[in-house]
Amino acid sequence: MSAAQTLGFIGLGVMGGPMCRNMARKHAGRVLMLDREPAAIAALADTKAEAATSLEALAAAADVVFLSLPGGPQVEAVAGAIALVARPGTTVVDLSTTPVALARSVADRLKAKGFDFADAPVARTREAAQRGELSIMVGAEAGAFARIKPLLDYIGSDVTHCGEVGCGQVVKLVNNALVFEHTLALAEMMVVGERAGVKPETLLSAVSKGSGDSFVLRNHGTKAMLPRNFPEKAFPPEYVLKDLDYLLQLASDTGVRPGVAELARRYYDAACRQGLSGRYFPGVIEFIERGGTPGEGQA
């Protein structure tokens, strides 16, 4: 893929901002950016990324358009708007997390108008996004994947072709469900361990040296749950619920009823109703400390 191509990036949030920054830093051609929040645009003023005057202007100029949006409805709406003005042959790469069926329907609609589409949801932390070390799970035709892989390497250290369109979302939803479930399990065990007389920092250090070690323990546990660092505008429980709903729908479509994921959803929903709303989701440990139970607060 030619380095002279123009890239567009729509959505400069917690993950999108750092991803766009890495693209602007590493790509030889133009990078156009768009976000509804002026502050998000201003945060990248020290890069070569250019603020587009409108979605239509960005779509008309870009050869490849990256999306980093809150969820399925936004992706569907923005992809539809892009298709009205973009040049045939433009590639749309969705870095968001969306329902699998929606990714495939958007791809079909874009393909009928002469556009390529890839779902390429990202995983790991904001810090990994800043370092350009995300894990990216891609659903795309082989040719499209080969064309976008060098661009995804700007933002990810592990880029995996998971299969045809939609398969990236399958892997991402499974990944996220496992993270959310493990965060709950770790929170429960941290509370049990502390009340049984073991300091939380000692517990995490010891478990990290054994078979209970995990990414969740070393990141969410050590960096958020141990210091009780649950900032606003990080990944909130509302996003957890969205992703779990997507996963539960996918499971239903495949004839599976995932009881652990259902339990996790009830926990995060209750925690959201009891004070965690808008805060970083590992804060669910505070809900558990207060004796919260799954389903609490529901009508």
Side-chain angles (χ1 to χ4, degrees), residues 21-69:
R21 175 175 292 276
N22 273 306
M23 288 188 176
R25 183 166 63 88
K26 299 174 184 178
H27 185 61
R30 295 177 70 199
V31 176
L32 305 176
M33 59 179 173
L34 185 71
D35 194 278
R36 291 188 299 182
E37 295 295 332
I41 299 288
L44 294 176
D46 61 334
T47 74
K48 73 172 187 181
E50 307 167 38
T53 55
S54 66
L55 188 155
E56 290 77 14
L58 182 149
D63 300 292
V64 183
V65 181
F66 292 90
L67 310 180
S68 181
L69 300 171

Side-chain angles (χ1 to χ4, degrees), residues 88-148:
T90 299
T91 300
V92 177
V93 182
D94 181 25
L95 304 166
S96 322
T97 302
T98 72
V100 175
L102 183 139
R104 289 171 173 162
S105 67
V106 168
D108 287 343
R109 277 176 276 167
L110 290 179
K111 186 174 182 179
K113 296 184 178 182
F115 305 105
D116 284 325
F117 177 86
D119 55 298
V122 302
R124 294 181 183 152
T125 62
R126 183 180 188 179
E127 291 74 21
Q130 293 167 342
R131 296 191 304 267
E133 296 176 356
L134 292 168
S135 172
I136 308 176
M137 296 144 280
V138 187
E141 295 179 355
F145 176 74
R147 291 192 297 275
I148 65 174

Side-chain angles (χ1 to χ4, degrees), residues 237-298:
E238 288 86 350
Y239 281 18
V240 172
L241 295 174
K242 169 184 70 72
D243 288 358
L244 285 174
D245 283 342
Y246 291 167
L247 182 280
L248 291 170
Q249 181 59 57
L250 177 64
S252 176
D253 292 343
T254 61
V256 176
R257 182 171 181 181
V260 177
E262 290 178 344
L263 177 61
R265 194 201 182 286
R266 293 199 298 273
Y267 255 116
Y268 285 108
D269 182 64
C272 188
R273 294 166 183 264
Q274 297 294 319
L276 185 58
S277 180
R279 299 170 64 210
Y280 192 33
F281 78 90
V284 71
I285 189 172
E286 294 183 343
F287 174 71
I288 291 170
E289 283 180 317
R290 298 195 302 266
T293 58
E296 182 178 317
Q298 292 182 357

